[in-house]
Amino acid sequence: MKLIFLGPPGAGKGTMAVRVADAASIPHISTGDIFRYNIKNQTELGKKVKAILDSGELVPDELTIELVRDRLGQDDAKSGFILDGFPRTVPQADALSEMAPVDNVINFTLSDEEVVKRLSGRRVHPGSGRTYHILFSPPKVEGKDDETGDDLVQREDDREDAIKNRLRVYREQTEPLIEYYRSRGKLVDLDSSPAPEEVFTSLRKILSL
Ligand code: AP5
């Protein structure tokens, strides 16, 4: 099963990708997580992209495409994958269609108002990427990761000004992909406004999981 999870920031793509990857035994490939891993470990790539991620702009296409090409070339991605956060531009979608055509594109839909609520309340465990929400999916102990007890943090790009910029970038550069994939008969819309359990049930039906 080769899938793309498309949708605005904060729509719940990462939350659902973790669950679907587990249910379908396929890797969850998040370009955002790969960039954040490199930033945390201060690699050359991390140093190059930190300011871009913090502001909510997009990393240049050439760099992102090569990174995904490498990742999809690994053995665990041969029989299936979930791409979360890639492609985000038409050139990225064109490159992907040459390297690994996908079966389905799930288009997560959510209003801007809900996006802001979800992102401003999100907290993450930097070590594992585990994601919480202070209201909708709180940790057992406030501010602490359930499994390790480490402190949770707020992503730099979940500040109000960066959220606004990410939504603008999404409208201008990523939203055209909805029509791109719809016209190719690959797109399935998914209302991601209900609670996580309900969204997951709808996804299982769509994917026959
Ligand atoms: P990336 O990490 O991909 O960020 P994003 O697309 O903005 O997506 P998010 O991770 O913010 O949201 P999500 O939809 O996964 O929501 P989540 O499940 O966490 O990219 C970050 C940056 O990297 C980009 O800005 C760019 O700079 C760069 N980048 C990445 N890919 C790139 C590319 N291809 N090209 C160029 N640059 C690239 O959920 C959000 C919150 O809501 C959580 O708190 C969660 O607990 C909660 N929640 C989830 N589902 C529900 C629900 N159903 N009900 C209530 N709460 C919910």
Side-chain angles (χ1 to χ4, degrees):
M1 194 183 311
K2 296 181 176 171
L3 304 172
I4 293 171
F5 283 5
L6 185 68
K13 304 178 298 293
T15 302
M16 288 302 134
V18 169
R19 302 181 70 160
V20 172
D22 187 46
S25 300
I26 50 176
H28 165 206
I29 301 174
S30 157
T31 38
D33 284 350
I34 297 173
F35 290 136
R36 280 185 291 277
Y37 173 87
N38 279 276
I39 291 171
K40 183 166 164 269
N41 291 293
Q42 300 188 355
T43 66
E44 280 311 306
L45 172 65
K47 287 177 197 159
K48 219 183 267 181
V49 302
K50 183 178 184 324
I52 301 178
L53 264 85
D54 286 354
S55 68
E57 293 294 324
L58 294 185
V59 174
D61 281 340
E62 315 80 69
L63 212 166
T64 310
I65 289 167
E66 284 320 305
L67 187 121
V68 171
R69 193 189 303 283
D70 263 17
R71 181 62 188 89
L72 292 182
Q74 292 172 21
D75 282 348
D76 66 336
K78 289 277 178 322
S79 55
F81 51 76
I82 303 167
L83 280 172
D84 161 17
F86 183 94
R88 255 179 156 94
T89 63
V90 171
Q92 290 182 14
D94 285 341
L96 180 65
S97 69
E98 281 168 25
M99 58 176 123
V102 297
D103 306 311
N104 276 312
V105 179
I106 310 295
N107 178 36
F108 287 65
T109 60
L110 194 67
S111 69
D112 286 5
E113 201 188 339
E114 284 303 313
V115 163
V116 173
K117 273 191 208 157
R118 287 191 187 180
L119 292 182
S120 50
R122 173 164 59 185
R123 299 293 181 272
V124 293
H125 175 236
S128 66
R130 268 185 292 283
T131 299
Y132 302 85
H133 190 284
I134 52 174
L135 301 176
F136 309 138
S137 151
K140 291 179 190 136
V141 177
E142 194 183 328
K144 304 284 179 193
D145 178 50
D146 286 352
E147 288 189 24
T148 61
D150 294 343
D151 286 342
L152 300 177
V153 300
Q154 186 166 26
R155 269 170 49 175
E156 276 294 321
D157 61 348
D158 282 347
R159 288 172 293 104
E160 205 183 321
D161 53 339
I163 294 174
K164 277 194 195 139
N165 198 34
R166 288 160 69 195
L167 275 167
R168 181 190 57 76
V169 168
Y170 170 75
R171 297 273 171 259
E172 289 175 9
Q173 302 199 49
T174 307
E175 212 170 45
L177 294 182
I178 295 176
E179 213 28 62
Y180 180 102
Y181 285 115
R182 202 187 296 286
S183 67
R184 287 161 174 77
K186 303 238 180 205
L187 196 91
V188 184
D189 291 308
L190 175 71
D191 174 11
S192 51
S193 62
E197 218 36 65
E198 209 177 308
V199 177
F200 186 53
T201 302
S202 305
L203 254 177
R204 291 189 87 121
K205 272 193 204 135
I206 293 169
L207 300 172
S208 309
L209 276 175

